[in-house]
Amino acid sequence: MQLRMARAALNWTLKELEAKSGVGRNTISRYEAGHDILASAVASLEKVLVDQGIVLFEGDRIYGTGVGLKKGQSSKR
């Protein structure tokens, strides 16, 4: 998952993602740096991002790997 790109699309800081997901900033930073974290933490991060309109592209043949923001969605600070 391209977590840093998803945060940028929502204009969220690490602190904001931590507050909304319940996953600690250090864990988020480690994941963004390419380290493994618990599957439950990944699930929490993915859920909060998808709930905010993030669309995850994992190896899609057309778009490749990345993220998008659903049309009409904006960051909800």
Side-chain angles (χ1 to χ4, degrees):
M1 178 172 46
Q2 301 295 327
L3 185 55
R4 190 171 294 140
M5 288 191 316
R7 277 197 310 110
L10 294 170
N11 198 30
W12 284 2
T13 64
L14 284 170
K15 185 177 179 180
E16 289 169 314
L17 182 54
E18 175 185 43
K20 293 174 187 302
S21 69
V23 177
R25 271 183 276 188
N26 290 339
T27 301
I28 295 168
S29 291
R30 281 196 318 273
Y31 192 59
E32 287 184 347
H35 300 283
D36 290 332
I37 61 173
L38 294 174
S40 59
V42 173
S44 294
L45 293 167
E46 187 173 310
K47 180 180 181 344
V48 74
L49 295 172
V50 169
D51 287 351
Q52 292 298 312
I54 292 293
V55 178
L56 305 170
F57 300 103
E58 296 293 334
D60 183 273
R61 294 183 75 206
I62 296 171
Y63 300 107
T65 300
V67 300
L69 186 60
K70 287 183 182 177
K71 201 172 190 178
Q73 295 283 330
S74 62
S75 65
K76 297 175 183 173
R77 285 188 166 201

